[in-house]
Amino acid sequence: MFGSLFEEEGEGYSLAPSGGRVVKGEGEPPPPRGRVNLSGIKNQGGTCYLNSLLQTLLFTPEFREELFSLGPKELGCLEDKDKPEAKVRVIPLELQRLFARLLLVDQQSASTTDLTDSFGWNNSEESRQHDVQELNRILFSALEHSLVDTSGSAFIQRLYHGTTVNSILCKECGNISQRQEDFLDLTVCVRGVCGLEGALWDMFVEEEMFEGSNLYRCGQCDQLVTAAKSAKLRKLPPFLTVSLLRFNFDFARCERYKETGRYTFPLTINLRPFCEQTEDEDSEYSYELFSVIIHKGGCYGGHYHVYIKDMDHLGLWEPPEEDTKPKVQKKKEVRAYTEPEKDDPLSVLSSIIAQEESRSVLLDQLGQRLMDKIGSSWSKKYRKLHGPIGKFLQNHSDVFVLVNNGTWVALKANPPSPVTQPSKPGLETEPKTAPEPQGSHWFDLNDSTVTSIHERDVEKMYQGKESAYMLFYRKTLLRRPSGALRNPGYQVPPHLLEMAEEENRRLQQRREEFEASNNSVELRLHLAPRYRLENGALKPISIEQKEATNLTFDRCRTVGDLRMIIYQKQDLWEGDMALTVARSLPAGLHLYNTLTDDEVSLYSAGILSGTDLFVWNGREVCGATVQTGAEWEPVLLTVVRPSLGEEEEEGEGGGVGEEGGSGLTKQSRGFAGRVTLGEVREALGEPQESLLCQEKRGGEGGGASGWRVFPPGDMQRTLKELALKDGDALLVLEPQTQDSSVFSVSGDMVTVTTPSDCRWLLVEYRPERRRRGGGEEEEERMRAKVPASGNMLLCEVKQRAIAELQLQEHLAGVACCLRQVDRTGKLLPPVCEELSVRDAGVRLMTSLSLCPGTAPKDTQLFLYFSVGTAPSSGLEGEIIVERSSTVKQCLKKMLESARLEGDGWHLRRLDWCEDVGEALMDEEASLSELKMSHGDALVITEGRLPPKGFLKLSVWLYVDMKLSPLAKMCVCLVGGAMVELRTVGQVEISEEATLEELKTQVLTLPELQYVCVPTPAFLRVWQLEGQRLTRILRGQQHTLRKLKLSSGVEFCVQQLLREEDLGPKEVLLRVQMGVPGERGYYPPEDLVWDASRDPSPRSLRSALASTYGLSPDSLLLAKHQPHTHTWETFSNWSQQVSKRKKKKKAESLLGAPFHLKDGDIIGVKVTNAPLGQGVGAEVETNRRVGPEKKMGPIKTRKTEVALSINVGVFR
């Protein structure tokens, strides 16, 4: 969008066109028709207007029969359409085929792809919304052109065209001037009219007078005279189409809007008062409503669907769901469903499906049923917490099951049988019998969904955002022959009947193949004679013997069929046979629910592919009673006992028991989940005095493991209640082993210390470097492997290491300490030798260094320090101080160690990035109060601390590059321009001082004597971070404490040419205007943008337009990212938020992803193209000096493209 101004050299982007139509997988057949036995039409993305009109034409029997009467001799064959000389009338042929599929093919919805291809439409046309009134005229025009020189060339004229006559009566001579006009549909006004009859009265009864200054020139009188103008209906068509003018234009706001007020229309209407000739009988003027096309939405987008009266009773009308719900539940009713909680979507959806007779609901209709039940949609009520409704159904597969390729949802307890499908409206099958209402058959055809409605539901479309848009009436004299009733194949040509039969055969074959492939399940049969009960679980008797027998079975068949198959395969089986669902667990095979109803199918029983079935007598296995159910699930525990043998020799491997160690043995045992801990102890053969312990999570380190002793009260609790799971360890201690050296009992904790070769520490001696002959030499390092345990003191470890290394004489009288080493080889702080290995956090099998130096005590801290800068590795000083020492005492000791004198020093911490940070202001605070720990680093900084409550701040001056530096300087990039920051000194000021007082004190610095400003308001104060200008300090009367300034902060002052007092939401931006036609910029300028009311791109664009005297819709904006040297463009400023989303917070430039702040660079490009359209070649735009009239916001919409249908030439 921004061309080369906001892109780096050689970079750009391209928009790839969207893919073609999404085609359903060939392996999955389309679902059959629903209960109403009518077919819908698939929406190709934006063709709901086309679908509604096509359904209206289909349910106009006279129209479809006229279309079907045209044979291949007149229309040609679709197979010849690619031949150069063949005249194939593709549009009527495709319309015939579509109507035949809608009438006869057993599928939920038909596709209009072939028809729209014959229109010459591409993918973008199929996804673009159009007006159905416009389509009605264009489609009829295309049909008339396609049927030229055929017997059907005039059938549209005969069925739909009428005539009006306009008359002007001269009041002077009585002369009448008439003009006749042909109409396809009547467009009636909605605004200011209460209904259709009132609009017709205004059009054909009321007279318009020409009088006063608006006179009429009579052709006979040849002068201006008073006259009356009127209109009448001269010829009435068999089918009257009425278009409601609901979309109007507001000239005050310069935008379109939709009339949503109440507008009534009758189900039957008599047009005699509006006709020119009224001598005929009333039946000649009487019309009945049979189709209402409804528009839902606004004037810039929405959705169409249609209410249609089924004149031939082709569909199976049934009362809508609200009529079938019982008002009072009978006591004898077996299935009683209480009203679910509205906050629980699981119970709400379950109750909706349970109230259906078939125990299933179309997935497309589930959302509407939910809205009818609770008065709110899924998106508003549940989506935020539970996600989309489809995902919710999949996540609760234990309750719901999706059938028929995911188009139906049923309860898993009683889903519909996959074999039973709704019968197709075939040519050979009898129509379904359903309770028919007394009256008209009305249906709502909404793309692929077709539902029954009442005639009174039409009255609900009088007003609102979802209201009637086109009305279709038919003469009441038009009667349907008896052969057409309930006969979808009436007057359908034989070749189309054959086509429908062939498609139905293919669909049936595909569905059978698909169902067969989906219904086959793989079962694993486990036979009882091959198993034995051991430790609460079933285990194979022989390892060599195959555990399970695989069986492929149709899940639509019953449990009894499966039982008979197994009987036939097991000839030697005697007695009863029970089939129980099993599952393999770590402890072994466990049984759950038994299949008891032989009449239920495997599908209804919830048997899926891969299910394990255990075949037994239902009572026992090998004489042992087997407990079934989830509560008896076995738990596989690792039983740990003290080793009864002698301590094993040390080896290379570590671990205990089965893992190769010594002291403990491990054994895996399974126990039923409902047995108590006391029963487990009895099963293990342990006395009641034995302790059972559970391993403590995480352990204690130091080579020992901690175990929690189960209290006596837990002995009566089950393994499930104790939350023991597979793999958990259970330590068993007998009374004679509790006092050994391996186990130490303290309260409810047991510490296990197992001797093994992994219990050691490697101690390395690092002697000091010695100078020999002018150079440095390092003595060879010495290492010793010292046996250790977690309870051993570190001072004992040091003594053993010195003895192992034979350093008693060498280190006599020399202080030494133990220090840990990190992965890089760096020495860590000395460890406290008064602590044990475990308490000091030293892990066994690691290294320690024996180094010169004193080891800190438990009450002391080991600290690093440096002078002036952050300490470098190997160059920092080391000191040991008491934890109770104050900061002042610590500083004094560090100065002595560094051999520094004087009292002009203070201490600073290091921040998280190892830079010099904040000062330790309270010199009387102890190190423990400041939460100092071992290994922390401090920096000795020159300078006294300011008094308590005072800040010491460094001051810099913002100067131009042309000025010569007089002191220390740094170069800073601000807004694309190079500026210098010159240090001018420091100030000490109270943190309760105001920003105005800070500016006044800064002006007293010697370096700023030449800076002359009338008042402090002529100074701008920037805060510096890392030599970068970050934010402007605002509020002249705000205190430095409120501005969150701390001691050591650096700030910069900038001299201004006018006073400035920025508000909290005012942002100072650096604006760079692009030079038209060049990759360059004008000099940057400052812009103060007030974002307090509206921080959106729209507000910034308006501010820039007002400042530079430009049109807002010609500005393209982007923010410069200095770190990546790229431009980040702002979104379209005029993007509208729909009325349904008024609560949605508008995009803010102060938040993510832009985070505009003081000093940010805003690039501006001026174009001659309005926003929302592609930007073409750049044109040079002269900057205007004077301000223009501020333009209001222009709402940009998608470019409207005229609807067209391509028709060949057939004359």
Side-chain angles (χ1 to χ4, degrees), residues 29 35 72 133 199 201 239 287 303 327 400 415 476 503 603 628 686 740 834 915 964 1087 1176 1193-1194 1211:
R35 290 175 296 180
Q133 298 176 3
W201 184 273
F239 296 91
Y287 283 81
H303 178 68
K327 296 182 179 179
F400 307 104
T476 55
E503 290 192 12
Y603 180 86
T628 63
E686 299 293 337
S740 66
E834 297 176 354
D915 291 332
S964 301
L1087 172 70
I1194 299 177
R1211 292 188 182 275

PDB file of all heavy atoms in Angstrom, residues 29 35 72 133 199 201 239 287 303 327 400 415 476 503 603 628 686 740 834 915 964 1087 1176 1193-1194 1211:
ATOM      1  N   PRO A  29     -20.225 -39.498   1.072  1.00  0.00           N
ATOM      2  CA  PRO A  29     -21.406 -39.117   0.284  1.00  0.00           C
ATOM      3  C   PRO A  29     -22.182 -38.009   0.979  1.00  0.00           C
ATOM      4  O   PRO A  29     -22.114 -37.857   2.200  1.00  0.00           O
ATOM      5  CB  PRO A  29     -22.215 -40.415   0.237  1.00  0.00           C
ATOM      6  CG  PRO A  29     -21.817 -41.145   1.472  1.00  0.00           C
ATOM      7  CD  PRO A  29     -20.372 -40.813   1.708  1.00  0.00           C
ATOM      8  N   ARG A  35     -36.371 -34.707   7.557  1.00  0.00           N
ATOM      9  CA  ARG A  35     -37.718 -35.219   7.799  1.00  0.00           C
ATOM     10  C   ARG A  35     -38.756 -34.551   6.918  1.00  0.00           C
ATOM     11  O   ARG A  35     -39.790 -35.153   6.612  1.00  0.00           O
ATOM     12  CB  ARG A  35     -38.074 -35.017   9.276  1.00  0.00           C
ATOM     13  CG  ARG A  35     -37.303 -35.914  10.208  1.00  0.00           C
ATOM     14  CD  ARG A  35     -37.608 -35.593  11.644  1.00  0.00           C
ATOM     15  NE  ARG A  35     -37.166 -34.244  12.009  1.00  0.00           N
ATOM     16  CZ  ARG A  35     -37.306 -33.718  13.214  1.00  0.00           C
ATOM     17  NH1 ARG A  35     -37.889 -34.432  14.161  1.00  0.00           N
ATOM     18  NH2 ARG A  35     -36.877 -32.518  13.476  1.00  0.00           N
ATOM     19  N   PRO A  72     -34.825 -31.461 -25.568  1.00  0.00           N
ATOM     20  CA  PRO A  72     -33.474 -31.327 -26.146  1.00  0.00           C
ATOM     21  C   PRO A  72     -33.485 -30.841 -27.592  1.00  0.00           C
ATOM     22  O   PRO A  72     -32.505 -30.253 -28.045  1.00  0.00           O
ATOM     23  CB  PRO A  72     -32.912 -32.751 -26.032  1.00  0.00           C
ATOM     24  CG  PRO A  72     -33.712 -33.412 -24.952  1.00  0.00           C
ATOM     25  CD  PRO A  72     -35.080 -32.814 -25.050  1.00  0.00           C
ATOM     26  N   GLN A 133     -33.669  -8.494  -5.841  1.00  0.00           N
ATOM     27  CA  GLN A 133     -34.550  -7.848  -6.811  1.00  0.00           C
ATOM     28  C   GLN A 133     -33.835  -7.653  -8.146  1.00  0.00           C
ATOM     29  O   GLN A 133     -34.409  -7.875  -9.222  1.00  0.00           O
ATOM     30  CB  GLN A 133     -35.024  -6.506  -6.263  1.00  0.00           C
ATOM     31  CG  GLN A 133     -35.837  -6.613  -4.981  1.00  0.00           C
ATOM     32  CD  GLN A 133     -36.198  -5.256  -4.410  1.00  0.00           C
ATOM     33  OE1 GLN A 133     -35.887  -4.229  -4.995  1.00  0.00           O
ATOM     34  NE2 GLN A 133     -36.850  -5.259  -3.258  1.00  0.00           N
ATOM     35  N   ALA A 199     -49.651   1.329   0.209  1.00  0.00           N
ATOM     36  CA  ALA A 199     -48.730   1.741  -0.850  1.00  0.00           C
ATOM     37  C   ALA A 199     -49.396   1.639  -2.220  1.00  0.00           C
ATOM     38  O   ALA A 199     -49.218   2.514  -3.084  1.00  0.00           O
ATOM     39  CB  ALA A 199     -47.468   0.881  -0.799  1.00  0.00           C
ATOM     40  N   TRP A 201     -52.579   1.878  -2.788  1.00  0.00           N
ATOM     41  CA  TRP A 201     -53.581   2.957  -2.842  1.00  0.00           C
ATOM     42  C   TRP A 201     -52.912   4.269  -3.266  1.00  0.00           C
ATOM     43  O   TRP A 201     -53.458   5.009  -4.087  1.00  0.00           O
ATOM     44  CB  TRP A 201     -54.249   3.099  -1.480  1.00  0.00           C
ATOM     45  CG  TRP A 201     -55.353   4.099  -1.452  1.00  0.00           C
ATOM     46  CD1 TRP A 201     -55.271   5.437  -1.229  1.00  0.00           C
ATOM     47  CD2 TRP A 201     -56.734   3.834  -1.690  1.00  0.00           C
ATOM     48  NE1 TRP A 201     -56.494   6.026  -1.304  1.00  0.00           N
ATOM     49  CE2 TRP A 201     -57.428   5.065  -1.590  1.00  0.00           C
ATOM     50  CE3 TRP A 201     -57.459   2.674  -1.988  1.00  0.00           C
ATOM     51  CZ2 TRP A 201     -58.806   5.168  -1.757  1.00  0.00           C
ATOM     52  CZ3 TRP A 201     -58.827   2.776  -2.144  1.00  0.00           C
ATOM     53  CH2 TRP A 201     -59.487   4.006  -2.034  1.00  0.00           C
ATOM     54  N   PHE A 239     -48.837 -14.228 -12.059  1.00  0.00           N
ATOM     55  CA  PHE A 239     -47.988 -14.179 -10.867  1.00  0.00           C
ATOM     56  C   PHE A 239     -47.519 -12.735 -10.679  1.00  0.00           C
ATOM     57  O   PHE A 239     -46.889 -12.155 -11.581  1.00  0.00           O
ATOM     58  CB  PHE A 239     -46.782 -15.108 -10.987  1.00  0.00           C
ATOM     59  CG  PHE A 239     -47.165 -16.558 -11.077  1.00  0.00           C
ATOM     60  CD1 PHE A 239     -47.387 -17.168 -12.304  1.00  0.00           C
ATOM     61  CD2 PHE A 239     -47.338 -17.309  -9.921  1.00  0.00           C
ATOM     62  CE1 PHE A 239     -47.753 -18.490 -12.384  1.00  0.00           C
ATOM     63  CE2 PHE A 239     -47.698 -18.640  -9.997  1.00  0.00           C
ATOM     64  CZ  PHE A 239     -47.922 -19.235 -11.229  1.00  0.00           C
ATOM     65  N   TYR A 287     -55.596 -12.550  -5.387  1.00  0.00           N
ATOM     66  CA  TYR A 287     -54.270 -13.179  -5.366  1.00  0.00           C
ATOM     67  C   TYR A 287     -54.008 -13.724  -3.962  1.00  0.00           C
ATOM     68  O   TYR A 287     -54.490 -13.181  -2.951  1.00  0.00           O
ATOM     69  CB  TYR A 287     -53.176 -12.171  -5.705  1.00  0.00           C
ATOM     70  CG  TYR A 287     -53.075 -11.834  -7.188  1.00  0.00           C
ATOM     71  CD1 TYR A 287     -53.938 -10.907  -7.775  1.00  0.00           C
ATOM     72  CD2 TYR A 287     -52.104 -12.437  -7.986  1.00  0.00           C
ATOM     73  CE1 TYR A 287     -53.842 -10.595  -9.124  1.00  0.00           C
ATOM     74  CE2 TYR A 287     -52.004 -12.124  -9.343  1.00  0.00           C
ATOM     75  CZ  TYR A 287     -52.873 -11.210  -9.906  1.00  0.00           C
ATOM     76  OH  TYR A 287     -52.770 -10.905 -11.232  1.00  0.00           O
ATOM     77  N   HIS A 303     -28.157 -11.532   4.954  1.00  0.00           N
ATOM     78  CA  HIS A 303     -28.439 -12.913   4.542  1.00  0.00           C
ATOM     79  C   HIS A 303     -29.897 -13.010   4.089  1.00  0.00           C
ATOM     80  O   HIS A 303     -30.787 -12.380   4.663  1.00  0.00           O
ATOM     81  CB  HIS A 303     -28.186 -13.868   5.699  1.00  0.00           C
ATOM     82  CG  HIS A 303     -28.494 -15.294   5.373  1.00  0.00           C
ATOM     83  ND1 HIS A 303     -27.755 -16.029   4.477  1.00  0.00           N
ATOM     84  CD2 HIS A 303     -29.478 -16.126   5.824  1.00  0.00           C
ATOM     85  CE1 HIS A 303     -28.264 -17.249   4.382  1.00  0.00           C
ATOM     86  NE2 HIS A 303     -29.305 -17.329   5.189  1.00  0.00           N
ATOM     87  N   LYS A 327     -46.923 -29.606  27.212  1.00  0.00           N
ATOM     88  CA  LYS A 327     -47.016 -28.552  28.224  1.00  0.00           C
ATOM     89  C   LYS A 327     -46.983 -29.127  29.623  1.00  0.00           C
ATOM     90  O   LYS A 327     -46.437 -28.546  30.535  1.00  0.00           O
ATOM     91  CB  LYS A 327     -48.297 -27.741  28.011  1.00  0.00           C
ATOM     92  CG  LYS A 327     -48.315 -26.995  26.684  1.00  0.00           C
ATOM     93  CD  LYS A 327     -49.585 -26.173  26.532  1.00  0.00           C
ATOM     94  CE  LYS A 327     -49.576 -25.422  25.207  1.00  0.00           C
ATOM     95  NZ  LYS A 327     -50.825 -24.628  25.026  1.00  0.00           N
ATOM     96  N   PHE A 400     -22.405 -37.236  23.469  1.00  0.00           N
ATOM     97  CA  PHE A 400     -22.956 -37.008  22.133  1.00  0.00           C
ATOM     98  C   PHE A 400     -22.194 -37.838  21.102  1.00  0.00           C
ATOM     99  O   PHE A 400     -21.016 -38.165  21.295  1.00  0.00           O
ATOM    100  CB  PHE A 400     -22.861 -35.531  21.742  1.00  0.00           C
ATOM    101  CG  PHE A 400     -23.464 -34.597  22.753  1.00  0.00           C
ATOM    102  CD1 PHE A 400     -22.659 -33.851  23.592  1.00  0.00           C
ATOM    103  CD2 PHE A 400     -24.840 -34.472  22.874  1.00  0.00           C
ATOM    104  CE1 PHE A 400     -23.193 -32.995  24.527  1.00  0.00           C
ATOM    105  CE2 PHE A 400     -25.391 -33.618  23.796  1.00  0.00           C
ATOM    106  CZ  PHE A 400     -24.578 -32.877  24.631  1.00  0.00           C
ATOM    107  N   PRO A 415     -28.319 -43.506  20.229  1.00  0.00           N
ATOM    108  CA  PRO A 415     -28.197 -42.816  18.947  1.00  0.00           C
ATOM    109  C   PRO A 415     -29.025 -43.504  17.879  1.00  0.00           C
ATOM    110  O   PRO A 415     -29.379 -44.670  18.016  1.00  0.00           O
ATOM    111  CB  PRO A 415     -26.702 -42.950  18.637  1.00  0.00           C
ATOM    112  CG  PRO A 415     -26.309 -44.212  19.310  1.00  0.00           C
ATOM    113  CD  PRO A 415     -27.163 -44.321  20.541  1.00  0.00           C
ATOM    114  N   THR A 476     -55.681 -16.760  -7.412  1.00  0.00           N
ATOM    115  CA  THR A 476     -56.383 -17.865  -6.748  1.00  0.00           C
ATOM    116  C   THR A 476     -57.118 -18.759  -7.742  1.00  0.00           C
ATOM    117  O   THR A 476     -57.514 -19.883  -7.403  1.00  0.00           O
ATOM    118  CB  THR A 476     -57.388 -17.296  -5.730  1.00  0.00           C
ATOM    119  OG1 THR A 476     -58.256 -16.373  -6.406  1.00  0.00           O
ATOM    120  CG2 THR A 476     -56.668 -16.577  -4.608  1.00  0.00           C
ATOM    121  N   GLU A 503     -28.501 -41.012 -10.384  1.00  0.00           N
ATOM    122  CA  GLU A 503     -27.813 -40.349  -9.279  1.00  0.00           C
ATOM    123  C   GLU A 503     -28.227 -40.939  -7.941  1.00  0.00           C
ATOM    124  O   GLU A 503     -27.396 -41.080  -7.030  1.00  0.00           O
ATOM    125  CB  GLU A 503     -28.088 -38.847  -9.320  1.00  0.00           C
ATOM    126  CG  GLU A 503     -27.425 -38.131 -10.485  1.00  0.00           C
ATOM    127  CD  GLU A 503     -27.468 -36.624 -10.332  1.00  0.00           C
ATOM    128  OE1 GLU A 503     -27.803 -36.145  -9.224  1.00  0.00           O
ATOM    129  OE2 GLU A 503     -27.158 -35.918 -11.314  1.00  0.00           O
ATOM    130  N   TYR A 603     -23.091 -50.493  18.026  1.00  0.00           N
ATOM    131  CA  TYR A 603     -22.993 -49.037  17.913  1.00  0.00           C
ATOM    132  C   TYR A 603     -23.676 -48.372  19.104  1.00  0.00           C
ATOM    133  O   TYR A 603     -23.133 -47.461  19.734  1.00  0.00           O
ATOM    134  CB  TYR A 603     -23.639 -48.590  16.600  1.00  0.00           C
ATOM    135  CG  TYR A 603     -23.596 -47.109  16.360  1.00  0.00           C
ATOM    136  CD1 TYR A 603     -22.498 -46.512  15.765  1.00  0.00           C
ATOM    137  CD2 TYR A 603     -24.669 -46.297  16.703  1.00  0.00           C
ATOM    138  CE1 TYR A 603     -22.460 -45.160  15.536  1.00  0.00           C
ATOM    139  CE2 TYR A 603     -24.645 -44.942  16.480  1.00  0.00           C
ATOM    140  CZ  TYR A 603     -23.533 -44.378  15.897  1.00  0.00           C
ATOM    141  OH  TYR A 603     -23.493 -43.025  15.675  1.00  0.00           O
ATOM    142  N   THR A 628     -15.583 -56.385  38.910  1.00  0.00           N
ATOM    143  CA  THR A 628     -15.585 -55.556  37.707  1.00  0.00           C
ATOM    144  C   THR A 628     -15.975 -54.125  38.063  1.00  0.00           C
ATOM    145  O   THR A 628     -16.532 -53.867  39.131  1.00  0.00           O
ATOM    146  CB  THR A 628     -16.573 -56.108  36.671  1.00  0.00           C
ATOM    147  OG1 THR A 628     -17.900 -56.055  37.209  1.00  0.00           O
ATOM    148  CG2 THR A 628     -16.235 -57.540  36.290  1.00  0.00           C
ATOM    149  N   GLU A 686       2.903 -58.759  56.318  1.00  0.00           N
ATOM    150  CA  GLU A 686       3.631 -57.945  57.292  1.00  0.00           C
ATOM    151  C   GLU A 686       2.828 -57.854  58.584  1.00  0.00           C
ATOM    152  O   GLU A 686       1.593 -57.809  58.556  1.00  0.00           O
ATOM    153  CB  GLU A 686       3.873 -56.537  56.732  1.00  0.00           C
ATOM    154  CG  GLU A 686       4.692 -56.499  55.470  1.00  0.00           C
ATOM    155  CD  GLU A 686       6.129 -56.935  55.715  1.00  0.00           C
ATOM    156  OE1 GLU A 686       6.593 -56.841  56.879  1.00  0.00           O
ATOM    157  OE2 GLU A 686       6.781 -57.382  54.754  1.00  0.00           O
ATOM    158  N   SER A 740      18.168 -49.363  62.142  1.00  0.00           N
ATOM    159  CA  SER A 740      19.439 -49.601  61.450  1.00  0.00           C
ATOM    160  C   SER A 740      20.035 -48.279  60.998  1.00  0.00           C
ATOM    161  O   SER A 740      19.413 -47.213  61.041  1.00  0.00           O
ATOM    162  CB  SER A 740      19.215 -50.532  60.254  1.00  0.00           C
ATOM    163  OG  SER A 740      18.403 -49.883  59.298  1.00  0.00           O
ATOM    164  N   GLU A 834      29.963 -25.345  58.497  1.00  0.00           N
ATOM    165  CA  GLU A 834      29.229 -25.775  59.685  1.00  0.00           C
ATOM    166  C   GLU A 834      27.961 -26.550  59.307  1.00  0.00           C
ATOM    167  O   GLU A 834      27.315 -27.130  60.173  1.00  0.00           O
ATOM    168  CB  GLU A 834      28.839 -24.557  60.519  1.00  0.00           C
ATOM    169  CG  GLU A 834      30.035 -23.780  61.060  1.00  0.00           C
ATOM    170  CD  GLU A 834      29.605 -22.532  61.807  1.00  0.00           C
ATOM    171  OE1 GLU A 834      28.380 -22.240  61.774  1.00  0.00           O
ATOM    172  OE2 GLU A 834      30.457 -21.862  62.401  1.00  0.00           O
ATOM    173  N   ASP A 915      24.348  -4.479  35.179  1.00  0.00           N
ATOM    174  CA  ASP A 915      24.823  -3.098  35.117  1.00  0.00           C
ATOM    175  C   ASP A 915      24.679  -2.455  36.483  1.00  0.00           C
ATOM    176  O   ASP A 915      23.917  -2.934  37.339  1.00  0.00           O
ATOM    177  CB  ASP A 915      24.021  -2.298  34.077  1.00  0.00           C
ATOM    178  CG  ASP A 915      24.315  -2.753  32.662  1.00  0.00           C
ATOM    179  OD1 ASP A 915      25.442  -3.252  32.428  1.00  0.00           O
ATOM    180  OD2 ASP A 915      23.426  -2.635  31.797  1.00  0.00           O
ATOM    181  N   SER A 964      29.331  23.775  19.085  1.00  0.00           N
ATOM    182  CA  SER A 964      30.570  23.082  19.426  1.00  0.00           C
ATOM    183  C   SER A 964      30.440  22.480  20.810  1.00  0.00           C
ATOM    184  O   SER A 964      29.907  23.117  21.727  1.00  0.00           O
ATOM    185  CB  SER A 964      31.765  24.044  19.392  1.00  0.00           C
ATOM    186  OG  SER A 964      31.884  24.618  18.106  1.00  0.00           O
ATOM    187  N   LEU A1087       4.874  17.185  16.303  1.00  0.00           N
ATOM    188  CA  LEU A1087       3.417  17.276  16.351  1.00  0.00           C
ATOM    189  C   LEU A1087       2.956  16.776  17.705  1.00  0.00           C
ATOM    190  O   LEU A1087       3.279  15.657  18.123  1.00  0.00           O
ATOM    191  CB  LEU A1087       2.784  16.421  15.245  1.00  0.00           C
ATOM    192  CG  LEU A1087       1.256  16.286  15.318  1.00  0.00           C
ATOM    193  CD1 LEU A1087       0.580  17.609  14.986  1.00  0.00           C
ATOM    194  CD2 LEU A1087       0.753  15.178  14.399  1.00  0.00           C
ATOM    195  N   GLY A1176      -2.459   3.586  -6.809  1.00  0.00           N
ATOM    196  CA  GLY A1176      -1.804   3.445  -8.091  1.00  0.00           C
ATOM    197  C   GLY A1176      -0.496   4.176  -8.121  1.00  0.00           C
ATOM    198  O   GLY A1176       0.251   4.249  -7.163  1.00  0.00           O
ATOM    199  N   PRO A1193     -15.582  12.251   8.519  1.00  0.00           N
ATOM    200  CA  PRO A1193     -15.164  10.887   8.174  1.00  0.00           C
ATOM    201  C   PRO A1193     -15.954  10.340   7.004  1.00  0.00           C
ATOM    202  O   PRO A1193     -17.153  10.520   6.893  1.00  0.00           O
ATOM    203  CB  PRO A1193     -15.452  10.097   9.452  1.00  0.00           C
ATOM    204  CG  PRO A1193     -16.501  10.894  10.147  1.00  0.00           C
ATOM    205  CD  PRO A1193     -16.244  12.333   9.816  1.00  0.00           C
ATOM    206  N   ILE A1194     -15.254   9.715   6.095  1.00  0.00           N
ATOM    207  CA  ILE A1194     -15.869   9.108   4.918  1.00  0.00           C
ATOM    208  C   ILE A1194     -15.900   7.603   5.119  1.00  0.00           C
ATOM    209  O   ILE A1194     -14.856   6.987   5.319  1.00  0.00           O
ATOM    210  CB  ILE A1194     -15.095   9.468   3.637  1.00  0.00           C
ATOM    211  CG1 ILE A1194     -15.096  10.987   3.438  1.00  0.00           C
ATOM    212  CG2 ILE A1194     -15.698   8.765   2.436  1.00  0.00           C
ATOM    213  CD1 ILE A1194     -14.304  11.434   2.249  1.00  0.00           C
ATOM    214  N   ARG A1211     -30.177 -16.153 -32.144  1.00  0.00           N
ATOM    215  CA  ARG A1211     -31.044 -15.716 -33.243  1.00  0.00           C
ATOM    216  C   ARG A1211     -30.493 -16.217 -34.571  1.00  0.00           C
ATOM    217  O   ARG A1211     -29.306 -16.312 -34.765  1.00  0.00           O
ATOM    218  CB  ARG A1211     -31.148 -14.191 -33.265  1.00  0.00           C
ATOM    219  CG  ARG A1211     -31.906 -13.648 -32.043  1.00  0.00           C
ATOM    220  CD  ARG A1211     -32.157 -12.154 -32.206  1.00  0.00           C
ATOM    221  NE  ARG A1211     -32.841 -11.626 -31.038  1.00  0.00           N
ATOM    222  CZ  ARG A1211     -34.148 -11.639 -30.857  1.00  0.00           C
ATOM    223  NH1 ARG A1211     -34.918 -12.176 -31.790  1.00  0.00           N
ATOM    224  NH2 ARG A1211     -34.711 -11.140 -29.789  1.00  0.00           N
TER     225      ARG A1211
END
